[in-house]
Amino acid sequence: RAPNCMASIGIIETLEYLKDSYQLHIITNGFSFVQEVKLQKSNLANYFVTITNSEVAGHKKPHENIFQYALSVANASKNESIMVGDSIEADVLGAMNFGMKAVYFNPANEMVSHDKIIQIQKLTQLKNIL
């Protein structure tokens, strides 16, 4: 995302807030090389401890195996982890079906028919959830 877009949705502010109290990890269906380039160019790579991609995990979100693989690499458990994502199907429902808590990042505030899904429109709202 462009720097002014990152500021408008609170990416840097939120990552700065989270980095001292939480270990941050990425789970992506994107290709390894593309994701690495994106993280380096956006100067966000240093915020994340691990990056799990579907190529390495052998499964794409929403398959539960990618979440299990990511937790294994991160040395974390379901009950101490929260998935934050912008895809209802792949990120949020995938994590919830796996047994993880999930938050839907919904900057457009689109209608969601699932009443049990926690939604945020700005990443800074994570401070109120955690």
Side-chain angles (χ1 to χ4, degrees), residues 35-55:
Q35 297 307 312
E36 289 173 23
V37 169
K38 282 183 182 180
L39 283 171
Q40 293 304 322
K41 286 189 175 193
S42 64
N43 294 317
L44 298 178
N46 291 333
Y47 290 102
F48 300 97
V49 179
T50 65
I51 300 170
T52 296
N53 67 61
S54 55
E55 283 181 285

Side-chain angles (χ1 to χ4, degrees), residues 27-35 52-55 60-61:
I27 304 173
T28 180
N29 284 343
F31 295 106
S32 298
F33 176 74
V34 174
Q35 297 307 312
T52 296
N53 67 61
S54 55
E55 283 181 285
K60 287 186 164 200
K61 296 179 291 182

Side-chain angles (χ1 to χ4, degrees), residues 25 71 74-83 99-102:
H25 306 271
L71 290 176
N75 195 28
S77 66
K78 289 181 197 183
N79 65 348
E80 65 182 3
S81 302
I82 299 174
M83 176 71 180
M100 280 176 60
K101 294 177 186 171

